[in-house]
Amino acid sequence: MIRFAFVILLCSQAALGYVLRKRAVDFVDPTTGGGSWLDNAGSGGGEPLNVVISAQSSPNVLTDSGVLNYAKALGFSTECLGIHIGGPQSANLGDGNGSVNQTVELREDFGSSIFGTCLESAAGGNHFRVFRQNGPTANTGALFLAVSQEEDVTKGHTISPDGYDVGRDKLVNSAIGKKSFGGVTYSTTEQDLTGFLQSGSAGINHGIAIDGVVKLLTVTIV
């Protein structure tokens, strides 16, 4: 009777979408499948994919709604009044999907998940683009983030000097440890990865040099 009840419970959870399995790898290196660690910024250069949320994170973190809630726990939210200026950027994550537009772009919300990003749009701040590795040849579900710090509107809302490394580090520093939003608590650990991005400014949008470090985040719902 106990075994039968356990089977029924598993079937019910599967039907409701609660049974989600962690992947066996953190991610697949995009370059092994013809991809790149730089997205296409549409100006002849690319922005570094300088943060990866591991596929071994809690599966619900890796969904569209999950990453948005996680971002809100870190002080980011959707764009001001849902308005986006400029076209989306694309990335090839070497997963067989080719070049795909960003899933979402999120901005620092300065403590207000509803209107705070309007301040970021004017005063500058941190922001990131999300790309999901889910193609037929590398279906990991890992999220690749292009993170950068922006100047205010008087400076053309361009990337700050050293803005890719600064933006990356600000996001990671806000993530490490336990954070909560919307009734969900996250525990995040970080690992530095080298050898994927090349240090320097070659191929980087706006010619801004980077240190070549990728931050790997593993996010667990607790």
Side-chain angles (χ1 to χ4, degrees), residues 5 32 41 65 95 102 107 109 113 116 128 158 168 181 199 209:
T32 63
S65 60
D95 58 2
Q102 64 200 39
R107 297 184 181 278
D109 66 18
S113 62
F128 64 92
T158 189
R168 175 202 63 199
F181 188 88
S199 61

Side-chain angles (χ1 to χ4, degrees), residues 36-50 89-92 129 131 145-148 159 164 197-198 200-210:
S36 174
W37 283 89
L38 301 179
D39 73 6
N40 181 357
S43 58
E47 296 193 344
L49 302 173
N50 49 12
Q89 295 184 10
S90 61
N92 182 346
R129 307 170 193 274
F131 302 89
L145 313 183
V147 190
S148 58
I159 306 299
Y164 296 117
L197 277 169
Q198 180 179 348
S201 61
I204 305 296
N205 196 31
H206 303 299
I208 296 172
I210 61 173

Side-chain angles (χ1 to χ4, degrees), residues 58-209:
S58 293
N60 284 336
V61 175
L62 304 176
T63 66
D64 287 355
S65 60
V67 71
L68 175 57
N69 196 77
Y70 178 62
K72 288 181 176 180
L74 307 187
F76 294 80
S77 194
T78 51
E79 297 196 86
C80 177
L81 304 178
I83 299 171
H84 176 68
I85 299 176
Q89 295 184 10
S90 61
N92 182 346
L93 299 182
D95 58 2
N97 279 338
S99 187
V100 177
N101 283 348
Q102 64 200 39
T103 299
V104 68
E105 184 171 353
L106 300 168
R107 297 184 181 278
E108 191 173 356
D109 66 18
F110 298 96
S112 171
S113 62
I114 299 176
F115 298 113
T117 55
C118 297
L119 178 59
E120 194 279 342
S121 295
N126 213 6
H127 81 307
F128 64 92
R129 307 170 193 274
V130 180
F131 302 89
R132 179 177 287 110
Q133 189 174 59
N134 63 351
T137 60
N139 186 17
T140 68
L143 302 178
F144 288 66
L145 313 183
V147 190
S148 58
Q149 174 80 11
E150 294 181 309
E151 299 286 353
D152 62 38
V153 69
T154 65
K155 297 180 181 178
H157 218 56
T158 189
I159 306 299
S160 303
D162 200 25
Y164 296 117
D165 292 347
V166 168
R168 175 202 63 199
D169 291 346
K170 283 182 62 177
L171 182 147
V172 171
N173 288 339
S174 70
I176 294 173
K178 289 186 177 181
K179 298 294 187 314
S180 299
F181 188 88
V184 183
T185 298
Y186 307 93
S187 177
T188 302
T189 60
E190 179 269 336
Q191 180 182 353
D192 285 1
L193 304 179
T194 58
F196 294 112
L197 277 169
Q198 180 179 348
S199 61
S201 61
I204 305 296
N205 196 31
H206 303 299
I208 296 172

